[in-house]
Amino acid sequence: MPSLGRLHLITDTRPGRDPLTVLRAALPVARAELVVQVRVEDDATDRQAYELARRVVALCRPYGATCLVNDRLHVALAVDAAGGHVGADDLPVRAARRVLGSAAVLGATAREPGSAAEAVAAGASYLGVGPCHATTTKTGLPAPIGPAGVRAVAAAVDVPVIAIGGVTAASVPALRAAGAYGVAVVGALSGAADPARATAELLGALTC
Ligand SMILES: Cc1ncc(COP(=O)(O)OP(=O)(O)O)c(N)n1
Ligand SMILES: Cc1ncsc1CCOP(=O)(O)O
Ligand SMILES: [Mg+2]
């Protein structure tokens, strides 16, 4: 299984956003520390997801960065991505593992120790844990769990914990201290005036 990067950039495909421009800025800075998760809106077609994922895989390859696909595992397979990420509304983790195969990277969403351990037992190779802090990027989320919630999950599993939800460079040290291996962000990069600089700041906070 490929080693996992610490900085996960989730594509922002909301209207008016330009995920590939953000990615082109982040890649030369983060290189193999970057994991790009292709996440499209629920009403996007499979063809749209496929075209975006195909471009992301091609952009990542020269830098040794990893591409994962959110939810749509058939798209992950079709573009030869390194793996995928599933949550409560997606394929169960064990089924996702069967689809992707034993060598793939498979992330699962968890917010408390019990379901986290179950996801790992079912085949998750990392966990996306959160929301850690308030976010406006996704609606309908439960209350933030904060660094203490991350700590509880990290103590219960032996796979990398990727903290997600309202993460900024300023919040990274507390999440790392709580046991997070890395972080996943949308707004911290997509909304940055200078995404290359924001990438460097996040990486600096992750690796110090
Ligand atoms: C790294 C990471 N963690 C959590 C999620 C959320 O996945 P999910 O709960 O399936 O919600 P959607 O992203 O599909 O709306 C994630 N995508 N990545
Ligand atoms: C997809 C997802 N799942 C939990 S929070 C979130 C969005 C995170 O976006 P941001 O980094 O802008 O808070
Ligand atoms: Mg999902």
Side-chain angles (χ1 to χ4, degrees), residues 39 131 135 137-138 141 164-167 184-187:
R39 179 176 182 270
T135 178
T137 304
K138 179 175 174 176
L141 287 168
I164 185 172
V167 175
V185 301
V186 181

Side-chain angles (χ1 to χ4, degrees), residues 8 10 37 39-40 42 68 70-71 85-90 107-110 126-130 138 141 162-164 183-185:
H8 293 222
I10 300 182
Q37 184 190 127
R39 179 176 182 270
V40 297
D42 286 344
L68 306 177
N70 185 50
D71 298 349
H85 186 99
V86 293
D89 294 337
D90 310 314
T109 304
Y126 77 89
L127 296 175
V129 176
K138 179 175 174 176
L141 287 168
I162 304 299
I164 185 172
V183 298
V185 301

Side-chain angles (χ1 to χ4, degrees), residues 3-105:
S3 75
L4 191 67
R6 291 184 191 271
L7 178 58
H8 293 222
L9 165 59
I10 300 182
T11 58
D12 191 347
T13 58
R14 291 173 293 176
R17 304 294 174 135
D18 185 358
L20 293 182
T21 295
V22 174
L23 176 56
R24 286 190 187 96
L27 273 169
V29 180
R31 304 184 69 89
E33 279 294 355
L34 195 67
V35 176
V36 186
Q37 184 190 127
V38 175
R39 179 176 182 270
V40 297
E41 301 295 290
D42 286 344
D43 62 0
T45 65
D46 276 350
R47 182 66 68 92
Q48 289 169 323
Y50 171 79
E51 291 298 343
L52 177 59
R54 196 174 58 81
R55 287 181 171 85
V56 169
V57 166
L59 286 168
C60 284
R61 190 166 289 130
Y63 294 98
T66 299
C67 176
L68 306 177
V69 177
N70 185 50
D71 298 349
R72 306 188 195 205
L73 303 185
H74 55 306
V75 173
L77 291 172
V79 302
D80 201 22
H85 186 99
V86 293
D89 294 337
D90 310 314
L91 280 182
V93 176
R94 198 173 300 281
R97 175 56 75 194
R98 284 177 63 116
V99 169
L100 291 178
S102 59
V105 178

